[in-house]
Amino acid sequence: MRMRLAMVLSIAILISSYATRALAHGEAADEPFLKDLTVAYYDVHVTPTQVKVGDPVTITGSVKILETWPYTLDPPQTAYITPVVPGPCFALTERLINGESSPGSIFVDKGGIYQFKMVMLARNPGHWHVHPGIAIQGTGTLLGPGEWVTVDPSGQPFKLDVTLLNGKTVDLEHFGGAFVWWWSLAGFIIGLIWMLYWTVPKRTVTRLAVTMQLPVNDDAPDIGLITPRDHMWMDLLAGITVLMLIVGWVYMAAKYPVRLPQQTVRFAPDPISPGDGLIAVHPKGSTFDEKTDTLVINFQVKNNGASPVSLKQYIMAMTTFVDGDKQEMAAAGPSEYVGQLAVDPDGPIAPGASRDITLKMTNEVFLQERLIPLHDPQQLIAGLLRFQDAQGKENLVTLKSVLVPTEFQPQYLP
Ligand SMILES: [Cu+2]
């Protein structure tokens, strides 16, 4: 027995000493289809990454709800764009979506592009992973790329001053805090007395087999289950509860005579164009090699526009792959989620021309973030092809293709 205990203990110590610092908050947990086929994030920036308590941090970027939204999920209708951080370590003070102030949820559609700007104040000191996220009703929160933000103490407690409609300024960090705490405790104590009364001296719970035999409205006076004295005490507790409600209503009406119901502001943001739609793509299959972390995507493209276009980026879920130099890669988003893109053949596609293109990306992020379906009933990936012409005019084209892991290739490829 002692041997076994010692063994269990030593294994427990071994495991706990091996645990590394949790570096993220579970963004890899979602299935690949839930990341790739739903939304794509691009141009995400979190600045600055080193602040003091009370300083602002701004998250900007764009998210597109893809046309490839899985039919197994509810269609996207109501959504909420939000910073995703570990707990209340920041306080959101402003959110713009497509240029419009958006205090709450918005109405969204498949194919919609949502450019966001969120300003939040650093609240708790620490080293935090900050993501943008879009919470879609019926589906859950889909995460964008994350960036580490370090918040240092500022020597002063956090304050969140807001100006009310009557011109008065209150600090939301502490406003009404003490009253809410004590009032909730008073309600809790009434409940606690009720619970202890019926469980400790009364045996109503410990002798469940007996009490279960009685009809619902039977006080069972012959076995002394519920006595007139019990009725008296319970009436008293109910009376105190009603009294608390009345006191609460009167106090609120007297102390806050000017009130406004909580406001709901919901609207569909102004549409943003993905481009002129004159570039047509047709998928020709993709492969993923687990041993080398390499994703290869084949497709055919036809430029129906009037000017030559070049492929600049491939955007999938929270990652962006860039056909460009270091500077262009830094501009594409947080470095952990940005990789190099090889386009073969590279170079502008002339107006009216068709071309077969192969994209190649080698990056650890595919497996780290679980972006590639390796053993799923539907082996599909989707992402955005970002084309640009000489004038800088952009076209975002969604490409969905079937993915075959290379270890299976010989059996399944024709
Ligand atoms: Cu994270």
Side-chain angles (χ1 to χ4, degrees), residues 29-340:
D30 289 338
E31 294 89 342
F33 84 93
L34 199 52
K35 296 188 180 105
D36 304 345
L37 303 181
T38 52
V39 297
Y41 282 89
Y42 54 97
D43 298 342
V44 171
H45 294 284
V46 179
T47 49
T49 52
Q50 180 94 37
V51 293
K52 282 191 159 61
V53 168
D55 289 349
V57 172
T58 303
I59 310 175
T60 54
S62 295
V63 58
K64 177 169 175 156
I65 300 184
L66 300 180
E67 300 83 349
T68 55
W69 186 269
Y71 66 89
T72 47
L73 300 174
D74 288 344
Q77 281 176 333
T78 307
Y80 181 78
I81 296 178
T82 178
V84 177
V85 292
C89 48
F90 292 90
L92 186 70
T93 55
E94 191 191 7
R95 170 174 35 219
L96 297 177
I97 297 172
N98 294 357
E100 209 165 332
S101 177
S102 313
S105 298
I106 52 167
F107 296 122
V108 295
D109 259 317
K110 267 187 222 179
I113 295 175
Y114 306 96
Q115 288 176 351
F116 50 82
K117 178 186 175 190
M118 295 182 275
V119 182
M120 49 192 200
L121 302 180
R123 193 164 168 265
N124 296 344
H127 190 54
W128 312 114
H129 209 206
V130 174
H131 300 253
I134 181 165
I136 297 182
Q137 194 174 352
T139 298
T141 303
L142 306 165
L143 285 190
E147 182 76 273
W148 289 102
V149 175
T150 305
V151 180
D152 294 318
S154 67
Q156 271 167 22
F158 178 73
K159 266 177 75 135
L160 185 55
D161 284 338
V162 294
T163 306
L164 305 180
L165 279 183
N166 62 8
K168 252 172 67 181
T169 299
V170 296
D171 177 13
L172 267 193
E173 184 69 5
H174 298 289
F175 185 65
F179 178 78
V180 168
W181 201 93
W182 286 107
W183 197 247
S184 306
L185 183 76
F188 174 75
I189 286 172
I190 296 176
L192 197 70
I193 293 171
W194 183 88
M195 193 194 78
L196 293 176
Y197 186 97
W198 290 107
T199 48
V200 178
K202 291 298 282 186
R203 313 268 169 101
T204 10
V205 174
T206 47
R207 290 189 186 165
L208 212 54
V210 177
T211 46
M212 287 289 279
Q213 300 296 318
L214 301 167
V216 180
N217 287 322
D218 190 352
D219 277 3
D222 46 334
I223 57 168
L225 187 68
I226 300 173
T227 64
R229 214 179 139 72
D230 296 336
H231 277 285
M232 190 271 287
W233 282 114
M234 289 309 114
D235 290 345
L236 190 70
L237 287 183
I240 294 173
T241 309
V242 173
L243 194 71
M244 259 187 81
L245 288 173
I246 293 169
V247 168
W249 284 323
V250 172
Y251 176 77
M252 177 191 69
K255 180 143 193 213
Y256 305 101
V258 182
R259 296 185 304 278
L260 191 67
Q262 201 161 24
Q263 299 298 293
T264 304
V265 183
R266 273 193 194 177
F267 62 95
D270 288 343
I272 285 183
S273 166
D276 53 22
L278 293 176
I279 297 174
V281 295
H282 183 74
K284 296 238 162 154
S286 53
T287 61
F288 183 74
D289 183 1
E290 254 185 287
K291 293 193 189 75
T292 60
D293 295 324
T294 303
L295 174 66
V296 173
I297 301 175
N298 300 299
F299 64 97
Q300 190 181 56
V301 56
K302 179 151 197 269
N303 180 7
N304 295 315
S307 54
V309 293
S310 304
L311 180 59
K312 293 287 180 190
Q313 294 179 352
Y314 175 69
I315 299 153
M316 187 167 78
M318 67 268 278
T319 59
T320 301
F321 297 88
V322 182
D323 182 18
D325 56 20
K326 277 216 168 77
Q327 214 179 337
E328 286 169 282
M329 283 178 72
S335 58
E336 288 168 58
Y337 299 86
V338 173
Q340 191 79 50

